[in-house]
Amino acid sequence: MKAIDNFDISLNVQFSTYAVPMIIGEIRRYLRDNNPIRVSRSMRDIAYKALQAKERLTKEKNREPTVEEIANVIDIPKEEIVISLDAIQDPISLQEPVYNDGTESIYVMDQVKDTKNLDELWAENITIAEAMKKLNPREKNIIARRFFEGRTQMEVAEEIGISQAQVSRLEKSAINRIKKMYQ
């Protein structure tokens, strides 16, 4: 519609000559502005240069080039190339199937793992925190130093001014009390 509205008959140019570039420009602008993830033009330019260099190097060397080789050709740091190539990737859903044998599907979510924030660890941390609240201050101190700070019984003994044997007894007693709480 914009091409029709802005077309000037007096310029003696065919409509298609005027309209095609304008329509292509509008489509590009729409796709750029309505992408779910905004990526800067400079980032896109780096990615496209890297893709062109990769294609050229693949033909020349008959193998996939390394990021270092691409960086040398386009004279851009390899870190920027990696970031820019990642930035232009289309996002996918965690529910996207990656494999299907007809009976069972494997989804992206099945292949993604977070070892820091597992539900089991979260529950265990709450349990441990609750158990620690029920210990006396001396036991809390020993358990915290031994298991959360990674100190030896000898180090704990020196730090709090008691014998290693006493630390061992208090530690064992505290652990047994925690076990009894959760049996």
Side-chain angles (χ1 to χ4, degrees):
M1 295 310 299
K2 192 174 184 180
I4 292 171
D5 291 342
N6 294 331
F7 182 66
D8 187 357
I9 299 173
S10 66
L11 294 176
N12 200 21
V13 175
Q14 285 190 354
F15 177 71
S16 61
T17 306
Y18 175 77
V20 169
M22 177 171 272
I23 291 168
I24 290 171
E26 288 298 315
I27 291 170
R28 285 185 179 152
R29 185 175 301 112
Y30 176 83
L31 293 173
R32 184 184 64 233
D33 294 345
N34 294 299
N35 198 357
I37 298 174
R38 295 253 195 263
V39 178
S40 72
R41 179 167 281 165
S42 62
M43 185 79 66
R44 285 183 191 276
D45 289 346
I46 291 170
Y48 294 137
K49 284 180 188 176
L51 289 172
Q52 288 173 344
K54 179 181 178 182
E55 189 175 316
R56 192 171 55 247
L57 287 169
T58 301
K59 287 178 184 174
E60 289 173 11
K61 299 178 182 271
N62 290 324
R63 65 171 173 79
E64 182 124 349
T66 65
V67 176
E68 289 84 8
E69 291 172 331
I70 295 169
N72 290 337
V73 168
I74 62 174
D75 197 32
I76 294 175
K78 63 182 178 182
E79 295 81 10
E80 283 188 42
I81 292 171
V82 171
I83 291 169
S84 66
L85 289 172
D86 284 345
I88 65 167
Q89 296 297 314
D90 288 331
I92 61 169
S93 168
L94 291 174
Q95 306 303 322
E96 183 85 21
V98 291
Y99 174 78
N100 187 339
D101 66 0
T103 59
E104 192 173 358
S105 293
I106 296 176
Y107 300 94
V108 171
M109 182 174 279
D110 298 330
Q111 296 184 329
V112 177
K113 184 173 182 178
D114 179 4
T115 57
K116 291 183 180 178
N117 298 309
L118 296 175
D119 288 340
E120 300 85 34
L121 291 179
W122 178 76
E124 286 176 15
N125 288 338
I126 290 175
T127 304
I128 291 168
E130 288 301 312
M132 290 291 286
K133 287 179 186 175
K134 296 177 181 173
L135 299 176
N136 68 46
R138 190 176 212 179
E139 290 171 329
K140 276 185 203 174
N141 188 12
I142 291 171
I143 296 295
R145 289 174 190 245
R146 286 279 293 131
F147 298 102
F148 297 109
E149 296 172 15
R151 301 235 170 69
T152 65
Q153 288 182 349
M154 282 300 294
E155 290 171 332
V156 174
E158 288 174 16
E159 290 171 4
I160 62 175
I162 60 175
S163 70
Q164 180 272 324
Q166 201 170 0
V167 168
S168 179
R169 282 192 297 275
L170 289 167
E171 178 184 312
K172 192 174 188 177
S173 169
I175 291 171
N176 285 335
R177 284 187 42 212
I178 291 171
K179 284 180 181 177
K180 285 180 184 174
M181 285 183 233
Y182 294 100
Q183 281 183 347

